[in-house]
Every structure is written in structure tokens, then in C-alpha cells.
Short mmCIF file of all heavy atoms in Angstrom, two decimals:
data_model
loop_
_atom_site.label_atom_id
_atom_site.label_comp_id
_atom_site.label_asym_id
_atom_site.label_seq_id
_atom_site.Cartn_x
_atom_site.Cartn_y
_atom_site.Cartn_z
N GLY T 10 34.76 -9.13 -23.61
CA GLY T 10 34.59 -10.44 -23.36
C GLY T 10 33.27 -10.88 -22.80
O GLY T 10 33.03 -12.10 -22.62
N ASP T 11 32.49 -9.96 -22.44
CA ASP T 11 31.17 -10.22 -21.80
C ASP T 11 30.26 -11.04 -22.80
O ASP T 11 30.22 -10.70 -24.10
CB ASP T 11 30.47 -9.01 -21.45
CG ASP T 11 31.10 -8.45 -20.12
OD1 ASP T 11 31.85 -9.25 -19.42
OD2 ASP T 11 31.01 -7.18 -19.93
N CYS T 12 29.41 -11.94 -22.34
CA CYS T 12 28.56 -12.62 -23.03
C CYS T 12 27.37 -11.62 -23.42
O CYS T 12 26.96 -10.89 -22.58
CB CYS T 12 28.00 -13.74 -22.17
SG CYS T 12 26.78 -14.81 -23.21
N SER T 13 27.10 -11.68 -24.73
CA SER T 13 26.08 -10.58 -25.14
C SER T 13 24.62 -11.00 -24.63
O SER T 13 24.31 -12.02 -24.22
CB SER T 13 25.97 -10.75 -26.68
OG SER T 13 25.37 -11.84 -27.17
N GLU T 14 23.79 -9.99 -24.63
CA GLU T 14 22.43 -10.21 -24.11
C GLU T 14 21.74 -11.26 -24.71
O GLU T 14 20.97 -12.01 -24.22
CB GLU T 14 21.65 -8.80 -24.17
CG GLU T 14 20.27 -8.80 -23.58
CD GLU T 14 19.65 -7.54 -23.57
OE1 GLU T 14 20.18 -6.52 -23.82
OE2 GLU T 14 18.31 -7.55 -23.44
N ILE T 15 21.81 -11.30 -26.18
CA ILE T 15 21.14 -12.34 -26.76
C ILE T 15 21.65 -13.74 -26.45
O ILE T 15 20.78 -14.70 -26.42
CB ILE T 15 21.16 -12.19 -28.42
CG1 ILE T 15 20.25 -13.05 -29.11
CG2 ILE T 15 22.61 -12.25 -28.88
CD1 ILE T 15 20.13 -12.74 -30.58
N GLU T 16 22.93 -13.88 -26.33
CA GLU T 16 23.45 -15.20 -26.01
C GLU T 16 23.05 -15.54 -24.60
O GLU T 16 22.87 -16.73 -24.23
CB GLU T 16 24.89 -15.30 -26.14
CG GLU T 16 25.37 -15.16 -27.64
CD GLU T 16 24.79 -16.10 -28.51
OE1 GLU T 16 24.28 -17.18 -28.10
OE2 GLU T 16 24.73 -15.82 -29.78
N ARG T 17 23.05 -14.63 -23.66
CA ARG T 17 22.56 -14.93 -22.23
C ARG T 17 21.03 -15.36 -22.26
O ARG T 17 20.57 -16.23 -21.60
CB ARG T 17 22.73 -13.68 -21.46
CG ARG T 17 24.08 -13.36 -20.90
CD ARG T 17 24.19 -12.36 -19.86
NE ARG T 17 23.54 -11.12 -20.06
CZ ARG T 17 24.06 -10.01 -20.58
NH1 ARG T 17 25.47 -10.07 -20.94
NH2 ARG T 17 23.46 -9.08 -20.78
N SER T 18 20.31 -14.67 -23.20
CA SER T 18 18.96 -15.00 -23.17
C SER T 18 18.76 -16.35 -23.87
O SER T 18 17.83 -17.22 -23.29
CB SER T 18 18.25 -13.98 -24.16
OG SER T 18 16.82 -14.46 -24.35
N ARG T 19 19.53 -16.85 -24.73
CA ARG T 19 19.54 -18.13 -25.42
C ARG T 19 19.99 -19.22 -24.29
O ARG T 19 19.43 -20.27 -24.22
CB ARG T 19 20.37 -18.17 -26.57
CG ARG T 19 19.68 -17.54 -27.74
CD ARG T 19 20.77 -17.50 -28.97
NE ARG T 19 19.94 -16.87 -30.15
CZ ARG T 19 20.68 -16.49 -31.14
NH1 ARG T 19 22.03 -16.57 -31.29
NH2 ARG T 19 20.04 -15.86 -32.19
N ASN T 20 20.98 -18.80 -23.41
CA ASN T 20 21.31 -19.77 -22.39
C ASN T 20 20.30 -19.93 -21.36
O ASN T 20 20.10 -21.06 -20.84
CB ASN T 20 22.61 -19.26 -21.77
CG ASN T 20 23.87 -19.54 -22.65
OD1 ASN T 20 23.80 -20.49 -23.41
ND2 ASN T 20 24.98 -18.76 -22.45
N ASP T 21 19.54 -18.80 -21.22
CA ASP T 21 18.35 -18.90 -20.24
C ASP T 21 17.36 -19.95 -20.67
O ASP T 21 16.61 -20.58 -19.96
CB ASP T 21 17.72 -17.66 -19.99
CG ASP T 21 18.50 -16.59 -19.27
OD1 ASP T 21 19.45 -17.06 -18.63
OD2 ASP T 21 18.17 -15.39 -19.25
N GLU T 22 17.23 -20.00 -22.08
CA GLU T 22 16.24 -20.96 -22.72
C GLU T 22 16.72 -22.41 -22.36
O GLU T 22 15.88 -23.44 -22.48
CB GLU T 22 16.15 -20.83 -24.21
CG GLU T 22 15.46 -19.57 -24.65
CD GLU T 22 15.43 -19.54 -26.15
OE1 GLU T 22 14.86 -20.44 -26.81
OE2 GLU T 22 15.87 -18.53 -26.77
N LEU T 23 17.97 -22.66 -22.06
CA LEU T 23 18.32 -24.02 -21.83
C LEU T 23 18.34 -24.36 -20.38
O LEU T 23 19.02 -25.17 -19.71
CB LEU T 23 19.91 -24.06 -22.32
CG LEU T 23 20.04 -24.05 -23.75
CD1 LEU T 23 21.50 -23.95 -24.09
CD2 LEU T 23 19.37 -25.24 -24.43
N LEU T 24 17.48 -23.72 -19.60
CA LEU T 24 17.30 -23.92 -18.20
C LEU T 24 17.11 -25.45 -17.82
O LEU T 24 17.55 -25.90 -16.88
CB LEU T 24 16.08 -23.16 -17.54
CG LEU T 24 15.89 -23.39 -16.16
CD1 LEU T 24 17.05 -22.92 -15.25
CD2 LEU T 24 14.62 -22.47 -15.73
N TRP T 25 16.40 -26.13 -18.82
CA TRP T 25 16.16 -27.62 -18.53
C TRP T 25 17.54 -28.33 -18.61
O TRP T 25 17.65 -29.35 -17.98
CB TRP T 25 15.30 -28.11 -19.78
CG TRP T 25 15.76 -27.81 -21.18
CD1 TRP T 25 15.47 -26.87 -21.96
CD2 TRP T 25 16.74 -28.63 -21.81
NE1 TRP T 25 16.15 -26.89 -23.22
CE2 TRP T 25 16.94 -27.90 -23.11
CE3 TRP T 25 17.39 -29.72 -21.55
CZ2 TRP T 25 17.86 -28.57 -24.02
CZ3 TRP T 25 18.34 -30.27 -22.51
CH2 TRP T 25 18.44 -29.64 -23.84
N LEU T 26 18.49 -27.76 -19.38
CA LEU T 26 19.78 -28.40 -19.38
C LEU T 26 20.57 -28.25 -18.14
O LEU T 26 21.13 -29.01 -17.50
CB LEU T 26 20.52 -28.06 -20.55
CG LEU T 26 21.96 -28.61 -20.73
CD1 LEU T 26 21.91 -30.20 -20.82
CD2 LEU T 26 22.65 -28.13 -22.07
N TRP T 27 20.59 -26.87 -17.60
CA TRP T 27 21.25 -26.70 -16.30
C TRP T 27 20.56 -27.43 -15.15
O TRP T 27 21.17 -27.79 -14.20
CB TRP T 27 21.23 -25.14 -16.08
CG TRP T 27 21.43 -24.30 -17.34
CD1 TRP T 27 20.77 -23.10 -17.68
CD2 TRP T 27 22.36 -24.56 -18.40
NE1 TRP T 27 21.31 -22.69 -18.97
CE2 TRP T 27 22.18 -23.45 -19.28
CE3 TRP T 27 23.44 -25.47 -18.55
CZ2 TRP T 27 23.00 -23.41 -20.48
CZ3 TRP T 27 24.24 -25.39 -19.80
CH2 TRP T 27 24.06 -24.33 -20.59
N ASN T 28 19.23 -27.50 -15.33
CA ASN T 28 18.48 -28.33 -14.23
C ASN T 28 18.98 -29.82 -14.31
O ASN T 28 18.92 -30.43 -13.22
CB ASN T 28 16.93 -28.23 -14.55
CG ASN T 28 16.34 -27.15 -13.74
OD1 ASN T 28 16.63 -26.97 -12.55
ND2 ASN T 28 15.49 -26.41 -14.38
N SER T 29 19.18 -30.36 -15.48
CA SER T 29 19.53 -31.68 -15.52
C SER T 29 20.99 -31.99 -15.26
O SER T 29 21.37 -33.18 -14.82
CB SER T 29 19.27 -32.26 -16.95
OG SER T 29 17.91 -32.05 -17.34
N SER T 30 21.92 -31.12 -15.38
CA SER T 30 23.29 -31.26 -15.30
C SER T 30 23.76 -31.22 -13.82
O SER T 30 23.17 -30.39 -13.06
CB SER T 30 24.21 -30.27 -16.07
OG SER T 30 23.68 -30.29 -17.47
N THR T 31 24.78 -31.97 -13.51
CA THR T 31 25.31 -31.89 -12.04
C THR T 31 26.79 -31.35 -12.21
O THR T 31 27.45 -31.11 -11.15
CB THR T 31 25.47 -33.22 -11.46
OG1 THR T 31 25.99 -34.14 -12.34
CG2 THR T 31 24.00 -33.71 -11.10
N ALA T 32 27.16 -30.86 -13.42
CA ALA T 32 28.46 -30.11 -13.61
C ALA T 32 28.48 -29.46 -14.98
O ALA T 32 27.56 -29.83 -15.91
CB ALA T 32 29.70 -31.00 -13.59
N LEU T 33 29.08 -28.29 -14.98
CA LEU T 33 29.13 -27.63 -16.35
C LEU T 33 30.59 -27.52 -16.75
O LEU T 33 31.57 -27.48 -16.06
CB LEU T 33 28.70 -26.22 -16.08
CG LEU T 33 27.31 -25.92 -15.50
CD1 LEU T 33 26.96 -24.39 -15.40
CD2 LEU T 33 26.30 -26.69 -16.44
N PHE T 34 30.72 -27.72 -18.17
CA PHE T 34 32.05 -27.88 -18.79
C PHE T 34 32.19 -26.93 -19.99
O PHE T 34 32.15 -27.39 -21.09
CB PHE T 34 32.18 -29.43 -19.17
CG PHE T 34 32.20 -30.30 -18.19
CD1 PHE T 34 31.01 -31.16 -17.97
CD2 PHE T 34 33.29 -30.53 -17.34
CE1 PHE T 34 31.08 -32.04 -16.97
CE2 PHE T 34 33.23 -31.49 -16.28
CZ PHE T 34 32.11 -32.33 -16.13
N PRO T 35 32.18 -25.65 -19.68
CA PRO T 35 32.53 -24.75 -20.76
C PRO T 35 33.87 -24.83 -21.29
O PRO T 35 34.77 -25.33 -20.62
CB PRO T 35 32.31 -23.34 -20.17
CG PRO T 35 32.56 -23.60 -18.68
CD PRO T 35 32.18 -25.09 -18.35
N SER T 36 34.18 -24.34 -22.52
CA SER T 36 35.45 -24.36 -23.20
C SER T 36 35.89 -23.00 -23.30
O SER T 36 35.23 -22.09 -23.73
CB SER T 36 35.34 -25.12 -24.45
OG SER T 36 36.65 -25.16 -25.16
N ALA T 37 37.24 -22.88 -23.14
CA ALA T 37 37.92 -21.51 -23.32
C ALA T 37 39.26 -21.68 -23.97
O ALA T 37 40.23 -21.10 -23.46
CB ALA T 37 37.85 -20.75 -21.98
N TYR T 38 39.38 -22.56 -24.99
CA TYR T 38 40.59 -22.76 -25.65
C TYR T 38 41.10 -21.32 -26.27
O TYR T 38 40.31 -20.67 -26.97
CB TYR T 38 40.58 -23.70 -26.76
CG TYR T 38 40.13 -25.12 -26.34
CD1 TYR T 38 39.52 -26.05 -27.21
CD2 TYR T 38 40.26 -25.51 -25.06
CE1 TYR T 38 39.08 -27.21 -26.82
CE2 TYR T 38 40.01 -26.86 -24.66
CZ TYR T 38 39.39 -27.77 -25.50
OH TYR T 38 39.04 -28.98 -25.08
N LEU T 39 42.39 -21.07 -26.04
CA LEU T 39 42.87 -19.76 -26.57
C LEU T 39 43.42 -19.94 -28.00
O LEU T 39 44.19 -20.84 -28.18
CB LEU T 39 44.01 -19.22 -25.66
CG LEU T 39 43.64 -18.88 -24.17
CD1 LEU T 39 44.83 -18.30 -23.55
CD2 LEU T 39 42.52 -17.72 -24.29
N PRO T 40 43.17 -19.03 -28.81
CA PRO T 40 43.74 -19.08 -30.23
C PRO T 40 45.15 -18.37 -30.25
O PRO T 40 45.49 -17.62 -29.22
CB PRO T 40 42.81 -18.20 -31.08
CG PRO T 40 42.28 -17.18 -30.12
CD PRO T 40 42.22 -17.94 -28.81
N LEU T 41 45.97 -18.74 -31.11
CA LEU T 41 47.22 -18.37 -31.16
C LEU T 41 47.39 -16.74 -31.21
O LEU T 41 48.37 -16.11 -30.76
CB LEU T 41 47.95 -18.84 -32.40
CG LEU T 41 49.57 -18.58 -32.38
CD1 LEU T 41 50.40 -18.89 -31.26
CD2 LEU T 41 50.20 -19.17 -33.72
N SER T 42 46.32 -16.08 -31.78
CA SER T 42 46.28 -14.66 -31.86
C SER T 42 46.16 -13.92 -30.50
O SER T 42 46.57 -12.92 -30.49
CB SER T 42 45.02 -14.21 -32.82
OG SER T 42 43.86 -14.71 -32.15
N LEU T 43 45.82 -14.78 -29.49
CA LEU T 43 45.79 -14.12 -28.05
C LEU T 43 47.09 -14.47 -27.35
O LEU T 43 47.14 -14.26 -26.12
CB LEU T 43 44.55 -14.69 -27.41
CG LEU T 43 43.30 -14.04 -27.84
CD1 LEU T 43 42.03 -14.60 -27.02
CD2 LEU T 43 43.17 -12.53 -27.81
N ASN T 44 48.08 -14.93 -27.96
CA ASN T 44 49.36 -15.26 -27.42
C ASN T 44 49.93 -13.98 -26.67
O ASN T 44 50.07 -12.99 -27.41
CB ASN T 44 50.33 -15.92 -28.41
CG ASN T 44 51.65 -16.24 -27.81
OD1 ASN T 44 51.81 -16.20 -26.45
ND2 ASN T 44 52.63 -16.58 -28.58
N GLU T 45 50.10 -13.98 -25.37
CA GLU T 45 50.64 -12.84 -24.67
C GLU T 45 49.84 -11.63 -24.76
O GLU T 45 50.25 -10.44 -24.73
CB GLU T 45 52.09 -12.44 -25.13
CG GLU T 45 53.09 -13.62 -24.87
CD GLU T 45 53.62 -13.68 -23.51
OE1 GLU T 45 53.33 -12.77 -22.76
OE2 GLU T 45 54.14 -14.69 -23.14
N ASN T 46 48.55 -11.80 -24.85
CA ASN T 46 47.50 -10.64 -25.20
C ASN T 46 46.67 -10.59 -23.97
O ASN T 46 45.97 -11.56 -23.64
CB ASN T 46 46.68 -10.99 -26.47
CG ASN T 46 45.89 -9.80 -27.01
OD1 ASN T 46 45.29 -9.06 -26.08
ND2 ASN T 46 45.73 -9.63 -28.28
N PRO T 47 46.56 -9.42 -23.39
CA PRO T 47 45.58 -9.18 -22.41
C PRO T 47 44.20 -9.71 -22.62
O PRO T 47 43.34 -9.91 -21.64
CB PRO T 47 45.68 -7.69 -21.92
CG PRO T 47 47.07 -7.35 -22.48
CD PRO T 47 47.21 -8.20 -23.73
N ASN T 48 43.66 -9.55 -23.87
CA ASN T 48 42.46 -9.89 -24.12
C ASN T 48 42.19 -11.43 -23.96
O ASN T 48 40.87 -11.73 -23.87
CB ASN T 48 42.06 -9.66 -25.62
CG ASN T 48 41.70 -8.10 -25.85
OD1 ASN T 48 41.55 -7.32 -24.92
ND2 ASN T 48 41.54 -7.74 -27.04
N ALA T 49 43.13 -12.17 -23.78
CA ALA T 49 42.91 -13.49 -23.42
C ALA T 49 42.16 -13.68 -22.16
O ALA T 49 41.22 -14.55 -21.93
CB ALA T 49 44.29 -14.25 -23.44
#
């Protein structure tokens, strides 16, 4: 479930966005395939 190194690096490029935001709204909708699954 960890964020990959390349995606963390890309998120680092968005520092201007984190600087501008006063809240963060990530999404973590679960697919049906993770029903009763520890990987959720």
C-alpha cells in the first residue's frame, strides 16, 4: 500500500499546491474486490 518513490517525488513537485492549500482531501474509495480484505 505504500506510495512508490516516483509518486512521492511527483507529489514533492506539487509543493506549490501544498503551500497554497489550507486542507488536503485525498480519496480512498474502496473497490468491491477489497470487501472483507485486509489489503483494504
Side-chain angles (χ1 to χ4, degrees):
D11 288 338
C12 187
S13 69
E14 184 176 345
I15 189 171
E16 295 303 342
R17 288 197 301 269
S18 176
R19 287 171 176 169
N20 284 336
D21 290 346
E22 290 184 52
L23 293 172
L24 179 60
W25 57 266
L26 182 56
W27 322 134
N28 266 316
S29 302
S30 303
T31 50
L33 302 180
F34 298 103
S36 174
Y38 299 156
L39 295 180
L41 187 59
S42 62
L43 288 181
N44 184 6
E45 298 281 345
N46 189 326
N48 278 358

